[in-house]
Amino acid sequence: KYDLEIVYYTETPIFELQIEAVENYFKEFATDVNGDGEVNVQIIDCSFPENDADMQYKGANIQKLQSLIIANEKAMLYITDEEKYSFFEETISKGESFFVNEPYALGDEFYEKTKTDVLGNIKGNLTISCRKIEGTMLEKSKNAKTYYEESLKLLEALKK
């Protein structure tokens, strides 16, 4: 069981080795939400380049992203690049901010700790943001509120 789920939505694909490195990086800042004695973080990859010719892959990732937005109580944090952040602000939330605060830029420490021997550094100027739950179906969920509060704590821990 995961204590935290983070949606990874960028123009640049991320590979399994990199996903594991990102999960390990965020484990340092997460807490044992479910009380099982372990801290487990899952990165949910929904990335695809906008100009990708594979419409089936793109469609599947958009569908996965939509289901996460609508119903996933644990996925409060979103790692995005500038293009995909704009997608949320312009398309998903239609003028109102989808996220709570300004995006937090992932710094040098993130890129150093997620670097792999085979693939090198993760590409892009990435940010992490916490989604709003107010005014959504998740607002009434006790679990969603718990994960929302834990996500805000993680963002605060990152900034220290």
Side-chain angles (χ1 to χ4, degrees):
K1 280 185 100 175
Y2 295 103
D3 297 291
L4 196 62
E5 294 178 1
I6 302 173
V7 178
Y8 194 96
Y9 183 56
T10 67
E11 278 286 307
T12 308
I14 186 169
F15 299 96
E16 195 60 44
L17 265 177
Q18 293 169 312
I19 288 172
E20 195 174 306
V22 174
E23 288 171 344
N24 288 332
Y25 175 77
F26 284 106
K27 276 170 84 167
E28 293 179 35
F29 302 97
T31 56
D32 179 16
V33 180
N34 61 22
D36 67 358
E38 296 179 22
V39 175
N40 291 300
V41 175
Q42 180 184 31
I43 299 299
I44 304 169
D45 181 24
C46 295
S47 298
F48 62 86
E50 204 52 54
N51 60 1
D52 192 337
D54 186 347
M55 293 305 286
Q56 193 170 4
Y57 177 75
K58 183 177 176 179
N61 275 359
I62 292 261
Q63 196 169 21
K64 180 167 52 168
L65 181 67
Q66 288 171 331
S67 69
L68 290 167
I69 291 168
I70 293 167
N72 190 309
E73 296 179 331
K74 292 182 184 180
M76 297 291 158
L77 293 171
Y78 289 71
I79 295 173
T80 56
D81 53 21
E82 193 175 328
E83 293 84 1
K84 298 302 186 187
Y85 183 85
S86 295
F87 170 80
F88 279 107
E89 297 301 279
E90 294 163 13
T91 308
I92 299 292
S93 56
K94 297 179 176 61
E96 293 201 19
S97 186
F98 178 77
F99 298 109
V100 178
N101 298 312
E102 290 295 308
Y104 176 73
L106 294 169
D108 293 340
E109 180 187 43
F110 170 79
Y111 294 101
E112 274 305 308
K113 289 192 173 182
T114 58
K115 184 178 183 176
T116 63
D117 292 338
V118 177
L119 300 165
N121 284 333
I122 291 174
K123 306 287 184 261
N125 293 319
L126 303 179
T127 60
I128 187 167
S129 308
C130 184
R131 67 161 297 167
K132 288 181 178 177
I133 61 170
E134 191 177 312
T136 71
M137 289 178 8
L138 297 174
E139 185 176 26
K140 292 181 173 81
S141 164
K142 186 178 174 219
N143 283 342
K145 284 182 183 168
T146 299
Y147 289 108
Y148 174 77
E149 288 164 7
E150 290 299 321
S151 295
L152 291 176
K153 285 180 193 173
L154 181 138
L155 285 178
E156 285 306 311
L158 274 176
K159 294 174 185 179
K160 291 179 181 172

